[in-house]
Amino acid sequence: MSSRWSESSFRHAFAWRLGLWYAALFVASAAALAVVTYLLLARALEDQDHEVLQSMLGRYATEYARAGLPGLRRLLESDASEGQHERLMVRVVNQQAEVVYFATPPGWAAFDLSTLDQPRGTSPWQSIADPTGGAVLELGSVDLPYGVTVQVGRSSHVRDELLRRFRERALQIGALIVLIAAVGGVLITTAGLRPIRELDAALREILRTGRLDARVPARGSDDPLDELGMLVNEMLGRLQTLVGGMRGALDNVAHDLRTPLTRFRNVAEAAIVSDDRAALKEGLGQALEESERVNATLTALMDISQAETGTMRLDDELVEVPVVVEQAVALFADEAEDRGLQIVTDVPAGLKVVADATRLRQVLANLLENAVKYTSAGGRIRMAAADQGDHVTFTVEDTGSGIAAEHLPFIWDRLYRAEPSRSARGLGLGLSLVKAIVEAHGGTVGVASTPGVGSTFTVTLPKARPAATSPRA
Ligand code: ADP
């Protein structure tokens, strides 16, 4: 319960973190934009003020050059009367440092104008701060011939007022942006994460119920989250097929085990109620046989997986081929006779091969079992072995049903059974076990078959397997 809680709180924490990040980024970019705009605006207003002062100075310098100090004075007075000096400070100083013209707009008393006569640097611009704080007086000066200096100044308070209003508006809009960011963040955490939540819910449902047929809802868009959902669905589909296949195989195994187990039970029951010692013995013998068959099936499954993972252990010995062939044939002699089949062998006397005798017998028995199983009455089965120099070839030939070409490449696969064989008893494990064992011996398998005519299975083993030959990986 606590882990469930912590998982969900983790998911919430993740969602909220994502939302917060989104909101923070949104607000930060809006703030950066506002700051840049503010700085650009302040700069543009300052440039504009300088331009105004510059153009005034230019006009006065031209007039001075044209009509001298009296002309300049006339122009200044006419400008003043036209109200052009309402927001400007204008000051003219002659060669003797006497102020010949001085006009200041109302409210300029706050500025300390005593600094006006102090020597300037190379810059034509000078700033005098309002000691009460706030505005700045910006002053431009031009030195004219014969020691005359004209100074024109302008207070920054208009500009400051504009910027102050900009800041106020920016703060109001900023509050709105924070609100939008918060709403956006919430939307991201709810709507944006919906596909993840759906994926999460679907996977939890599958975990809870163990049902592999559940699917994540997919809208079919090329959205990465949607693609993730589709990938999960594809994976679930494959798992479903795989698990379905495994269930089928298990059903087969169960079916194949049930028959010998039922026979085992019947034999044991009959034996238990019988007083006849001979019948009791026979019953026990049959029961033993059946239990061995069950064991063999389970062992086949284990063997294949061992051989496929390369862990099959082989007890090599010098095997007498005629003996092992006879032993294999003996296993099916009765069944062949019952079904009206003839089994012939053709093995050179004294032929030997280094192999695990039990495994080799298993290989031949499996091939023979198939030959008997898939050949109908009156058929003929030939089991041969031949000396090929450093190899021995085993051949199991039958006049049975044969295998259609389309099935041929798959018959060595685990659990593969060609369509017409489904009715016959079997697991589809025999040939995969044959192949696994033969390859573990460093040998090869082969088949040639014509439907309706018969099949020939071939196994080739090296006569003396080098010690280094390991089971196939
Ligand atoms: P099974 O338990 O079905 O016999 P095997 O792995 O031994 O499994 O064989 C795989 C399939 O190959 C069989 O289902 C059958 O269709 C085909 N097959 C194998 N041997 C023969 C044969 N001698 N004649 C015809 N078909 C065969």
Side-chain angles (χ1 to χ4, degrees):
M1 201 63 198
S2 75
S3 93
R4 209 153 257 279
W5 180 86
S6 59
E7 272 166 26
S8 89
S9 64
F10 171 78
R11 279 204 316 281
H12 281 134
F14 170 71
W16 280 115
R17 257 204 326 270
L18 199 71
L20 267 178
W21 269 109
Y22 168 80
L25 262 174
F26 193 83
V27 171
S29 20
L33 191 72
V35 168
V36 170
T37 313
Y38 179 81
L39 291 177
L40 287 176
L41 180 70
R43 184 62 188 270
L45 288 174
E46 190 183 324
D47 286 351
Q48 199 187 31
D49 277 358
H50 284 178
E51 265 169 37
V52 168
L53 296 181
Q54 194 88 56
S55 90
M56 294 296 270
L57 286 172
R59 261 182 80 229
Y60 295 147
T62 313
E63 186 57 22
Y64 178 76
R66 196 182 64 80
L69 202 52
L72 175 61
R73 192 189 286 271
R74 271 197 304 280
L75 179 61
L76 288 168
E77 277 161 2
S78 111
D79 274 0
S81 64
E82 281 169 20
Q84 285 203 29
H85 292 169
E86 245 168 42
R87 288 162 56 195
L88 290 179
M89 182 217 83
V90 185
R91 187 166 175 265
V92 182
V93 183
N94 68 11
Q95 202 170 14
Q96 289 77 40
E98 291 163 358
V99 177
V100 291
Y101 184 87
F102 188 34
T104 53
W108 276 51
F111 291 112
D112 178 9
L113 298 179
S114 64
T115 55
L116 285 178
D117 290 322
Q118 282 170 12
R120 291 180 278 122
T122 47
S123 163
W125 303 111
Q126 203 182 340
S127 296
I128 301 170
D130 176 350
T132 59
V136 169
L137 171 61
E138 271 169 344
L139 204 70
S141 306
V142 64
D143 293 328
L144 303 176
Y146 310 113
V148 170
T149 299
V150 179
Q151 293 172 307
V152 181
R154 192 170 202 196
S155 162
S156 69
H157 78 272
V158 175
R159 184 166 99 210
D160 291 347
E161 178 60 18
L162 256 174
L163 290 174
R164 191 188 60 75
R165 264 190 263 152
F166 179 92
R167 284 195 302 270
E168 249 175 46
R169 277 289 144 80
L171 277 178
Q172 286 164 358
I173 294 171
L176 200 70
I177 282 176
V178 169
L179 197 74
I180 292 172
V183 172
V186 170
L187 277 180
I188 286 264
T189 50
T190 51
L193 288 179
R194 199 171 58 225
I196 292 187
R197 274 203 305 277
E198 284 172 356
L199 189 69
D200 183 281
L203 292 178
R204 269 166 208 286
E205 184 64 8
I206 291 165
L207 280 177
R208 196 178 60 79
T209 58
R211 284 184 54 178
L212 288 172
D213 57 350
R215 290 290 178 271
V216 178
R219 281 169 290 274
S221 69
D222 53 3
D223 184 289
L225 282 176
D226 228 26
E227 272 181 26
L228 185 69
M230 285 190 280
L231 276 179
V232 169
N233 282 346
E234 197 181 317
M235 195 180 75
L236 285 171
R238 286 198 193 169
L239 273 177
Q240 200 179 1
T241 314
L242 212 70
V243 170
M246 279 170 64
R247 280 199 187 127
L250 257 175
D251 286 350
N252 277 348
V253 172
H255 179 264
D256 230 58
L257 291 182
R258 193 165 291 136
T259 318
L261 280 174
T262 312
R263 279 203 299 257
F264 181 100
R265 191 191 154 97
N266 292 345
V267 166
E269 265 175 8
I272 229 164
V273 293
S274 166
D275 293 331
D276 181 8
R277 191 174 159 75
L280 205 70
K281 242 184 145 177
E282 197 195 324
L284 273 177
Q286 283 176 10
L288 215 67
E289 248 174 55
E290 297 299 348
S291 72
E292 264 164 22
R293 201 159 298 163
V294 173
N295 207 10
T297 307
L298 292 175
T299 312
L301 283 166
M302 295 293 293
D303 283 350
I304 292 172
S305 73
Q306 268 185 13
E308 284 188 349
T309 51
T311 53
M312 179 177 270
R313 203 172 70 91
L314 296 175
D315 293 326
D316 279 350
E317 59 180 296
L318 198 59
V319 179
E320 296 277 352
V321 176
V323 175
V324 91
V325 166
E326 279 315 316
Q327 286 171 340
V329 169
L331 289 174
F332 299 96
D334 289 350
E335 193 177 343
E337 199 184 320
D338 289 353
R339 302 195 45 205
L341 300 172
Q342 185 195 2
I343 302 184
V344 296
T345 58
D346 179 7
V347 185
L351 182 60
K352 293 185 181 66
V353 67
V354 173
D356 181 320
T358 314
R359 295 292 183 204
L360 181 55
R361 205 163 29 241
Q362 209 174 355
V363 165
L364 300 178
N366 269 307
L367 293 177
L368 213 51
E369 185 186 4
N370 280 350
V372 170
K373 201 158 59 173
Y374 300 116
T375 306
S376 40
R380 184 172 181 272
I381 296 161
R382 178 174 174 271
M383 175 168 260
D387 190 342
Q388 307 278 358
D390 53 358
H391 284 82
V392 174
T393 306
F394 297 85
T395 319
V396 180
E397 206 179 324
D398 65 52
T399 55
S401 60
I403 305 160
E406 71 259 31
H407 295 303
L408 222 46
F410 308 109
I411 56 170
W412 305 100
D413 292 350
R414 202 162 21 160
L415 298 169
Y416 186 83
R417 307 196 72 202
E419 198 56 57
S421 324
R422 297 268 163 86
S423 53
R425 191 170 57 85
L427 287 171
L429 291 175
L431 288 183
S432 29
L433 184 58
V434 166
K435 186 169 187 265
I437 294 175
V438 169
E439 287 180 355
H441 277 84
T444 53
V445 292
V447 61
S449 188
T450 311
V453 177
S455 317
T456 304
F457 283 85
T458 321
V459 166
T460 305
L461 291 183
K463 254 189 197 167
R465 195 157 55 92
T469 308
S470 59
R472 76 198 174 106

